[in-house]
Amino acid sequence: MSNTGMAKHKNSLVSPCFVEEALKPLLSRGIDPAPLLKSCGIDAALQEPVTISSYGKLWRRIAEVLDDEFFCLGAQQMPRGSFELLCHSVITNLTLEEALAGSMKFLSIVLQQPSARLQVTKGQASLQIFQQVPTTSAFTYTSPR
């Protein structure tokens, strides 16, 4: 990415609704998010969009406080460092299919739920995600049937 592209990306903004969604696991555990928001340069009133840089800092801080890089959306916590380990485990894969299959295997071991199935047909990949306990998080996506 060019310096111009990086500068443009750095100035991107994140809607307050995504900040609120990221805070839900803290709030459900009775953890006051105000100190975390302040440490990331985010106004606790959440009236304005925040920079992507501030949101990224908040994301990492929440994962640190929860010791869960999956923000309590899995059947088990995903301890800090798991995502880095996942990336290292698939970086040498020769194809995207191998990387996706390896990632799904890793996540199924770490999280147990949700689980996923990869299907490749005529060069097109489909990833089907299964979760026994439904979630209402904005970080999840359900495709229309």
Side-chain angles (χ1 to χ4, degrees), residues 16-135:
C17 71
F18 287 105
V19 176
E20 291 169 354
E21 195 66 33
L23 298 175
K24 282 184 177 180
L26 295 174
L27 296 171
S28 71
R29 285 156 183 75
I31 300 169
D32 180 11
L36 285 179
L37 291 166
K38 185 176 181 179
S39 74
C40 297
I42 300 173
D43 181 1
L46 297 176
Q47 298 296 317
E48 301 291 327
V50 301
T51 66
I52 200 163
S53 175
S54 294
Y55 187 70
K57 288 177 191 173
L58 178 64
W59 190 269
R60 287 187 303 274
R61 291 284 295 130
I62 292 171
E64 184 179 297
V65 168
L66 296 172
D67 191 24
D68 189 344
E69 292 182 339
F70 204 63
F71 279 42
C72 304
L73 293 172
Q76 299 183 149
Q77 74 182 66
M78 185 173 165
R80 287 181 300 143
S82 297
F83 185 73
E84 180 180 358
L85 195 58
L86 167 63
C87 292
H88 285 293
S89 73
V90 300
I91 193 98
T92 57
N93 290 138
L94 297 177
T95 67
L96 178 57
E97 183 177 358
E98 289 174 7
L100 285 172
S103 296
M104 290 186 315
K105 182 176 181 180
F106 180 93
L107 291 172
S108 72
I109 292 168
V110 173
L111 298 174
Q112 292 184 351
Q113 290 285 323
S115 62
R117 181 173 52 222
L118 175 67
Q119 182 176 348
V120 180
T121 308
K122 296 182 182 178
Q124 294 220 338
S126 172
L127 188 61
Q128 193 171 18
I129 299 171
F130 305 94
Q131 185 162 353
Q132 291 176 338
V133 179
T135 181

